[in-house]
Amino acid sequence: MSTLSSVPLEDEPAAPPEAGSELHLGEYVAMARRHWKLAAVFCVLGLAGASVHYFITPKQYQATATLQIERRSLTPLSSAQNPWLENYWNMEFYPTQYELLQSRGLAERVVKSLDLMEDPAFNPGVTTARESAHGPTAEDDEAVLGRLANQIRGGLSVAPVRSTQLVQISYVSASPEFAAKAANGFAESFIDLGVQDRFATAGKASSFLTTQIGTLKKEIEDKEAKLQAFSRRSDIVTVDPQANVNLQRFEALNGSLMEAKKIRIEKEARYHEVTTAPRETVADSLSGGMVTEVRREQLNLEREYETKLKTYKPQFPEMVTLKSNIDKGREHLEQLIREQVEKARNDAYAAYQTALRQEQSLETELSTLRSQFLSQNSAAVEITNLRVEIKTRRDLLDELMRKQSETDVAVRLQDTRESNVRVIDKALVPGGPFRPSLRQDLSYGLLLGLLAGIAVAVLIEFTDRTVKSPEEVERRLGLPPLAVIHDVAEIGKAYGYAGYGYGYAYGDAPVEGPARTRPTRTGPEKRLDRQKKKDAAAAAAAQPLQIEMVPHERPKTLISEAYRSLRTGLLLSSARELKTVAVTSAVAGEGKTATAANLAIVLAQLGRQVLIVDCDLRKPRLHQVLRVSNRYGLVNQLTAAGEPEAIFPTEVPNLWITPSGPIPPNPSELLSSDRMRDWLRAVRARFDYVVLDTPPALAVTDATIVGRLVDGVVLTLRSGKVTREEAQICRDRLRQAGIKIFGAVLNRYRSLPAVGKRYKYYESYGAEESEPKAGSAA
């Protein structure tokens, strides 16, 4: 046998990185399964609230009228060929019409047209106003009209039909008849408003045109009388420009002056251009290419000098001569540019001065001629002005008279109610209420209830940090789930081979012998046997199921198979020979004692010699589970030499137990002593498997001490109790101590577990507590 030492961790795989913040669809599906009852309750509450809302909400009816609004001008005074057509690009036209449909002014028209001020159903205060002593005043009527207009606007809605000229006017009221009447009233009042506005504008235009026409006629008469009187005084027969020599000369000089101004401006611009332009540019433009040719030769010399400079030194005679030629060429080029620029500037200035003197000469002559022309032809000009004014006023008079005729025609067409708005569909009395809608209320109630249930479920899940499923164990802790032990309360009375499918019910043992024949029984005996079996099954079902001894007392149950799965997974979890295993947990109450006991039972069922040791020296419980005395045990072996061997048989075949014995004052020191190592080495050599039950790892250090003395540790987690943080701290503490963790056992797992709670660490583990109840797990 190998000596006892800390087990190396070469065969332990590294923990995968935790991904607590990743999106795992399976978690949300599991969350929905866990809280479906909560969501269903909220959905029922939402449906109940929607039903209550439906029955207490007053019935409302909606009637709808459809109008077509064409783009037409509201005034006949447009100067376009078709005065009725509105500009298509006027983007404010239709929004303006929609606002007019919802305006208070239109609502007042509807109130007046439907005579709602005298309707007691719509205006309950009309009776009180009639019975008052003084009667309503005009101010009272205006106030009532405004209040009723705002009241009737409350049920109106305007909805334009997209990409059409149609608009729907809908009205909602408690009375279906009033809803239809109000919708049609708004449509008719809107048409009347447009017609009245249009023809009111036409009437005002007609009055204005009549006044302007009279004024123009009077002005024309005065101007004609003045023209006749002035013609008699001046003896002017004609004012024809073709017969006036001075006028023709004046026009010719005026044209020459404009041409001289144009030439002067061009010369002046040319002079400024030559003055401000670069000298090289001016020289190039005036030299006929000479400056360009000289510059090209100069560049060739400089390029040749640079090329030869790579071969010869500057003091070389040929280089000196070439350098001298380059300097002379530069001086020649500069002199040529200077001469050309000076010549160009002088020529431009001379041309500018010549044009300026010519312009000044023409202005002087024109000024003299203008004085003569004005003195001689002032009377002719006055006559011409009068004739022009008379002609202008006659043209304006003709235009105004034409428009007055069109306006008079438009006013006479008022009775035909010509309008750009027409009713497509009149509002009909609705056959059913518009709201409340039972289907809509139930849909909203169901949706709100579902959203509320989901929100509460998400809130519960985010506040619950416990480990609930084997997937969380593997993903968040990086530990393989060796077994999942369902909660006894969840399984209930469904334990037995009948539910597991092995072929015969729990309690029906197979008959020994090769033929497996049963003794022949008569009919009454068979009925008596069946009745006895039913009574025995009922009695067994009535007894509470205790989790610690399930593999021994009920080996054919689902939980027993789960512990056998734990045995298989544990034996296959390490490449080395497995002899000693410690069972611990993060905090108390996670089922570590039940796991240790049942693991030892299923190992003993293999026919091997198994010893289970109660290393929980602070709160021992294995002696209660296996029903042995605790007066003598492990503590006696570790504190006194030469004591009898503390290994006792149990009712389970092949299973032996070493209880804890009396509670010592120094448990950690005893477990870390050399006697503990020697004793464990001895029992390891004697038994096939040794299972050790240890205290919780977060409460005390006992589990860490024992874990370094065994081949590995099984971590027990209770579903819905231990938090993720507690489990992670426990895992990290064991790994930091160099302890191999075979995996985890998830206890009391529920397929739809209840809401988890946060628990504190195992602080008062050594305190005295009452005996646990049947079915509880340490």
Side-chain angles (χ1 to χ4, degrees), residues 48-80:
S51 301
V52 172
H53 177 268
Y54 174 76
F55 286 109
I56 66 175
T57 303
K59 300 296 185 293
Q60 298 288 326
Y61 297 87
Q62 183 184 51
T64 302
T66 304
L67 299 181
Q68 180 184 4
I69 304 177
E70 297 179 356
R71 287 180 174 271
R72 292 184 180 181
S73 175
L74 297 180
T75 172
L77 300 181
S78 174
S79 60

Side-chain angles (χ1 to χ4, degrees), residues 201-265:
T201 303
K204 293 179 181 179
S206 178
S207 302
F208 173 77
L209 290 175
T210 301
T211 304
Q212 293 299 317
I213 288 173
T215 303
L216 283 175
K217 288 181 177 180
K218 183 68 170 61
E219 290 179 358
I220 291 173
E221 292 176 358
D222 294 341
K223 293 294 181 180
E224 288 180 345
K226 185 177 180 180
L227 176 61
Q228 292 177 2
F230 193 80
S231 297
R232 285 193 295 269
R233 289 197 306 269
S234 59
D235 289 335
I236 295 178
V237 179
T238 179
V239 292
D240 186 8
Q242 300 296 331
N244 194 329
V245 178
N246 291 332
L247 181 60
Q248 294 177 1
R249 183 183 176 190
F250 180 81
E251 292 176 353
L253 283 176
N254 193 25
S256 299
L257 178 61
M258 293 298 103
E259 185 66 23
K261 282 182 178 289
K262 178 181 177 181
I263 295 174
R264 189 263 306 168
I265 292 173

Side-chain angles (χ1 to χ4, degrees), residues 430-645:
F434 167 66
R435 59 172 178 258
S437 172
L438 181 59
R439 177 182 298 177
Q440 185 177 10
D441 286 353
L442 291 179
S443 300
Y444 285 154
L446 181 62
L447 178 61
L448 292 178
L450 181 60
L451 292 178
I454 293 175
V456 174
V458 171
L459 179 62
I460 292 174
E461 288 291 328
F462 274 99
T463 56
D464 181 15
R465 302 288 296 173
T466 60
V467 178
K468 294 179 284 296
S469 65
E471 291 79 9
E472 285 189 77
V473 173
E474 185 173 6
R475 184 168 51 84
R476 296 188 182 276
L477 301 180
L479 298 177
L482 298 176
V484 178
I485 310 302
H486 283 263
D487 193 2
V488 177
E490 183 187 36
I491 300 299
K493 301 177 181 179
Y495 293 110
Y497 275 11
Y500 206 69
Y502 276 178
Y504 47 89
Y506 178 75
D508 292 340
V511 179
E512 297 293 337
R516 294 193 177 184
T517 59
R518 293 181 179 268
T520 306
R521 295 177 180 268
T522 60
E525 290 177 345
K526 291 181 179 179
R527 287 194 296 271
L528 181 59
D529 288 343
R530 285 196 295 266
Q531 185 62 35
K532 287 181 179 181
K533 291 179 182 179
K534 290 181 180 179
D535 295 340
Q543 294 179 358
L545 185 62
Q546 193 171 5
I547 188 66
E548 287 85 353
M549 299 290 287
V550 167
H552 173 66
E553 295 177 349
R554 299 186 181 182
K556 303 174 184 179
T557 59
L558 295 175
I559 292 182
S560 301
E561 288 299 325
Y563 281 111
R564 295 188 186 98
S565 175
L566 168 61
R567 177 187 65 192
T568 304
L570 186 60
L571 294 177
L572 297 176
S573 62
S574 176
R576 300 190 178 189
E577 180 184 10
L578 182 63
K579 296 286 288 185
T580 56
V581 178
V583 180
T584 187
S585 62
V587 295
E590 296 193 66
K592 61 177 182 56
T593 299
T595 302
N598 292 331
L599 175 59
I601 291 173
V602 295
L603 287 173
Q605 289 176 350
L606 292 175
R608 307 293 181 88
Q609 296 298 314
V610 180
L611 174 64
I612 183 168
V613 184
D614 195 346
C615 294
D616 191 347
L617 305 184
R618 304 170 188 269
K619 187 182 174 184
R621 190 170 169 271
L622 269 179
H623 63 282
Q624 298 175 356
V625 174
L626 297 176
R627 293 184 280 274
V628 297
S629 175
N630 195 34
R631 288 180 297 177
Y632 187 79
L634 180 62
V635 175
N636 304 93
Q637 294 287 312
L638 300 180
T639 55
E643 290 289 332
E645 191 177 50

Side-chain angles (χ1 to χ4, degrees), residues 340-411:
Q340 293 295 331
V341 170
E342 184 176 358
K343 178 181 178 182
R345 289 179 179 176
N346 292 335
D347 293 345
Y349 182 75
Y352 165 66
Q353 291 295 328
T354 302
L356 180 62
R357 286 191 297 270
Q358 185 176 1
E359 178 187 359
Q360 293 174 351
S361 175
L362 288 174
E363 283 183 348
T364 303
E365 185 177 357
L366 186 62
S367 176
T368 303
L369 184 60
R370 182 184 294 109
S371 300
Q372 297 175 359
F373 179 74
L374 290 177
S375 61
Q376 295 175 1
N377 297 286
S378 59
V381 172
E382 183 68 22
I383 291 175
T384 303
N385 290 338
L386 288 175
R387 288 181 176 177
V388 171
E389 290 180 0
I390 292 173
K391 182 177 183 304
T392 303
R393 282 170 172 76
R394 286 189 180 278
D395 293 341
L396 179 59
L397 178 63
D398 294 339
E399 183 66 20
L400 291 180
M401 292 182 68
R402 183 181 62 80
K403 291 186 176 180
Q404 185 184 30
S405 300
E406 295 176 355
T407 304
D408 292 341
V409 173
V411 172

Side-chain angles (χ1 to χ4, degrees), residues 36-58:
W36 70 269
K37 292 182 180 179
L38 179 65
V41 169
F42 275 95
C43 289
V44 171
L45 292 177
L47 292 176
S51 301
V52 172
H53 177 268
Y54 174 76
F55 286 109
I56 66 175
T57 303

